[in-house]
Amino acid sequence: LESCPARRQRHKARRTVRPPDATQHMPDLKDVAVGAILAAAGGVAFCLMKTSGWLLRSACRDQALSLSEAGSTALGAAGVACAATATTGPTFLGLRGWQWLNLGAFAINLISVSVPGRIDGKMADEAKRHRALAIQKKEAKTEDGTDGGKSGKDGEGSVEGVPRDSMYRSLVTPAGWAFAIWGVIFLTEAVFIAVQAMPVVSLSPGAVAVFEGVSPWWAMACGLQALWCVAFRDWAQAPRHFWLSGALLAAEAVALGGAHRVLRAAVRDGMSTAVYLSCHLPLSLHFGWITAAAVVNVNSLVAVAATPPHAQLSFAFASVWGAAALGALVTATSGDPVYAGVLAWALSAVAADGGKRAKDTMGEVPLAALTHSAATAAKGLATIGVVVAGMRALGVGAA
């Protein structure tokens, strides 16, 4: 039989049991930050598409562009009339509102990406430390007369780009050299900003229609990228917050897709080489790379969430072939080889990386299959891009 002191102790223990703390399920400051960023993203989209008045003018421009097929090399009479709406109206320091919008969006983008502390910046610094350590070990082994040839490749997680032991490294992580494309993107977009900021009277009606037409989409993309720079930091590394950065990149890809549709409509109606190089090329490069970045970011979420290895592998295969299918579809329907070329670049970098972090858990054969898939998809997209570019040069099919 249970003694009285033991019974009293048991009852006391029951009385001291407390219900679960309700505050554990209450939103914290990080949840509030996620909500604020989502609200800001929605505000950017709403303000640009609802209050700026571009929708009406864009509809007019699309109609004018469709009517310009009867013209020679310009937009035609209807295109000139529609473009004239952008050359009239108030100016500030000689620039129209859409020109200031493009300038401001580019400035915000440059400032936001320059602020240190993002996850990718920290990973780059960590990779540099790994490389420096590997070089030091290699030099030390060389001085000792031993073979240090593998220390820079297999030692201390020395991997270009994302360190091998990073929690953000997934099976779809590009090699470090792939990110060099950012330099090309920002350089060509700087040219775009400089050209579109020229006095309107010195620009052709076709150039004015294109520059104004992409303005709301371009500004939206820059705003979303600035918000991504806020979200892609250590404060949001938990899975319930980390999804936000991938969602922002996906939304940015949609916005750049809107600009891409405007550009392809202008190409079909006779875009000049100057406008193509100064506007179409940089925005197409940006569109393709952000699409790839969104795929990489989503796979990083899968890794951060500690998804089982077999599920990560399945998702990686789906991502590789999904990106390839999207690249083929956009290129085939729009006639733009740049988009396919950028995705081929990204998939080639994924194949070069080879999922190095997961060799111990995945094994060589599955990772070799994934690498082969990424390389095959990259070659396929590159082939499609070359074929489309050749057809356009020969005047076969729609541009």
Side-chain angles (χ1 to χ4, degrees), residues 236-287:
Q237 67 180 4
R240 69 171 182 166
H241 303 133
F242 193 72
W243 63 268
L244 178 62
S245 57
L248 289 171
L249 286 179
E252 182 182 352
V254 172
L256 289 170
H260 190 257
R261 287 192 297 272
V262 174
L263 294 171
R264 296 313 298 173
V267 166
R268 287 191 293 269
D269 293 283
M271 177 183 288
S272 67
T273 302
V275 174
Y276 182 88
L277 294 177
S278 63
C279 183
H280 190 295
L281 179 61
L283 268 61
S284 293
L285 289 171
H286 203 165
F287 179 32

Side-chain angles (χ1 to χ4, degrees), residues 144-399:
D144 294 339
T146 58
D147 183 13
K150 292 185 179 180
S151 61
K153 181 177 179 180
D154 298 327
E156 297 296 329
S158 176
V159 178
E160 294 285 341
V162 183
R164 190 176 302 173
D165 57 354
S166 173
M167 65 178 293
Y168 304 104
R169 170 172 281 276
S170 70
L171 297 179
V172 185
T173 298
W177 51 262
F179 297 94
I181 196 174
W182 273 122
V184 179
I185 291 174
F186 278 113
L187 179 61
T188 54
E189 287 182 341
V191 174
F192 158 60
I193 292 301
V195 173
Q196 69 88 38
M198 296 173 62
V200 174
V201 293
S202 65
L203 298 173
S204 66
V208 171
V210 171
F211 292 153
E212 189 202 10
V214 301
S215 289
W217 301 108
W218 158 255
M220 190 185 306
C222 289
L224 291 170
Q225 187 158 312
L227 292 174
W228 173 84
C229 290
V230 177
F232 198 58
R233 296 178 182 270
D234 286 336
W235 69 265
Q237 67 180 4
R240 69 171 182 166
H241 303 133
F242 193 72
W243 63 268
L244 178 62
S245 57
L248 289 171
L249 286 179
E252 182 182 352
V254 172
L256 289 170
H260 190 257
R261 287 192 297 272
V262 174
L263 294 171
R264 296 313 298 173
V267 166
R268 287 191 293 269
D269 293 283
M271 177 183 288
S272 67
T273 302
V275 174
Y276 182 88
L277 294 177
S278 63
C279 183
H280 190 295
L281 179 61
L283 268 61
S284 293
L285 289 171
H286 203 165
F287 179 32
W289 184 247
I290 289 299
T291 302
V295 174
V296 172
N297 205 298
V298 172
N299 277 270
S300 294
L301 172 61
V302 174
V304 169
T307 307
H310 66 276
Q312 292 190 37
L313 187 63
S314 299
F315 196 83
F317 274 106
S319 298
V320 166
W321 290 112
L326 179 61
L329 177 63
V330 172
T331 301
T333 56
S334 68
D336 182 17
V338 176
Y339 186 78
V342 175
L343 286 181
W345 168 272
L347 289 173
S348 297
V350 171
D353 181 83
K356 291 182 173 67
R357 179 191 181 191
K359 283 186 177 180
D360 295 336
T361 57
M362 296 286 183
E364 294 286 346
V365 174
L367 293 182
L370 179 61
T371 299
H372 179 73
S373 294
T376 302
K379 293 175 183 177
L381 282 176
T383 302
I384 293 174
V386 170
V387 170
V388 170
M391 292 176 61
R392 182 184 174 192
L394 295 175
V396 179

